[in-house]
Amino acid sequence: REGRASLCSFLLGTSVAALPLLLGSSPALLAGPGLRGRLALALHVAGVNAALLLLYPRPLYKIAVRACFLGFAFGCGLLLSAGRSAWRHFGWYMCSLSLFHYSEYLVTAINNPRSLSLDSFLLNHSFEYNLAALSSWVEFTLEKLFFPELKQITWLSTVGLLMVIFGDCLRKAAMLTAGSNFNHIVQNEKSDTHTLVTSGVYGWFRHPSYVGWFYWSIGTQVLLCNPICVVGYALASWRFFRERIEEEEITLIHFFGEEYLEYKRKVPSGLPFIKGVKLEL
């Protein structure tokens, strides 16, 4: 039920991309300084929110409004991508970011509905995550103002987009393969349904969801041609996942014992220079 409501709301938000067709104008009109485009966006937001209030009771509305916001961001990203302005690559980024967060919720709803919550959108992942996102927006804007040619390297942005697609697809494949074993929160107690998944993408890497997120996050900054944030994201993500993997593997060894140790010996973590927890014999 929650998954269906979120999908309908996401598509409703994405419908903002159809406004140029309804207005008989180019996509650039909505991103431009003119009053007509801004008024159309304001009316669209107000109309969609009114529809959500009428369609869904309070608990579902909280889900719907978040999904709709992500759909709206995705639709605006499509409009920016369709134009020829200097913000075109930022439109790619908006599509990538909004789709990543929405698909986290949708796949969880399909895969492990018992763990589903508003936190499954990962919109409030952490203060550090939000600060990193804000930093990338500030860097892109400042460099666009002072070094506009740096933001027009289409081949580099295309490489970043491919990294984003690869990383997100790998992460979602990991979530789907793990099924109900996947949870956004590291589990400290083993449930009756917990099994050690070693098939599919887990036969390539021990932590494919982290590998996917790692390359997705760096790819977003390559896409934006943000040299400072590329380095910052790579270092911060590497440190975060090194600590997260060590913490998680201690739990997995406690859960599965020798079975996990044998799997650990055969399959790499997937992240550069991260071998996982070290055991002293």
Side-chain angles (χ1 to χ4, degrees), residues 38 71 164 169 189 221 247:
R38 294 182 181 182
V164 163
C169 287
E189 295 183 7
Q221 300 313 299
E247 175 190 352

Side-chain angles (χ1 to χ4, degrees), residues 32-227:
L35 179 61
R36 186 184 176 195
R38 294 182 181 182
L39 181 60
L41 285 176
L43 290 175
H44 179 271
V45 170
V48 166
N49 189 56
L52 295 179
L53 286 169
L54 291 173
L55 286 171
Y56 299 115
R58 182 67 178 175
L60 281 180
Y61 173 76
K62 292 181 180 180
I63 297 167
V65 74
R66 287 165 172 78
C68 186
F69 165 74
L70 292 171
F72 180 79
F74 184 81
C76 289
L78 290 177
L79 291 174
L80 287 176
S81 301
R84 294 293 177 181
S85 72
W87 292 93
R88 182 186 180 194
H89 297 155
F90 195 83
W92 296 3
Y93 167 80
M94 287 180 65
C95 290
S96 304
L97 185 66
S98 56
L99 188 60
F100 171 82
H101 282 282
Y102 174 66
S103 59
E104 288 287 310
Y105 184 89
L106 183 62
V107 173
T108 303
I110 295 169
N111 239 17
N112 192 7
R114 282 190 287 185
S115 71
L116 192 66
S117 70
L118 291 176
D119 291 338
S120 300
F121 284 109
L122 297 184
L123 291 172
N124 56 341
H125 179 270
S126 65
F127 172 77
E128 291 79 8
Y129 180 82
N130 294 334
L131 182 62
L134 181 61
S135 299
S136 72
W137 304 341
V138 170
E139 181 183 352
F140 181 88
T141 304
L142 291 177
E143 289 174 353
K144 178 180 173 296
L145 290 173
F146 295 105
F147 310 102
E149 66 281 355
L150 181 63
K151 302 305 177 184
Q152 301 301 315
I153 310 176
T154 299
W155 71 264
L156 185 59
S157 292
T158 302
V159 170
L161 183 61
L162 292 174
M163 289 177 65
V164 163
I165 293 171
F166 165 76
D168 203 8
C169 287
L170 179 60
R171 178 169 171 84
K172 296 313 182 291
M175 293 173 69
L176 291 169
T177 302
S180 61
N181 292 285
F182 185 91
N183 199 303
H184 284 118
I185 301 172
V186 175
Q187 302 296 292
N188 295 315
E189 295 183 7
K190 184 181 180 184
S191 70
D192 296 335
T193 59
H194 270 153
T195 58
L196 180 61
V197 181
T198 60
S199 61
V201 290
Y202 286 86
W204 306 345
F205 313 118
R206 294 200 308 275
H207 303 278
S209 67
Y210 295 161
V211 176
W213 199 344
F214 178 77
Y215 287 107
W216 174 87
S217 65
I218 298 173
T220 61
Q221 300 313 299
V222 176
L223 189 160
L224 291 175
C225 300
N226 279 353

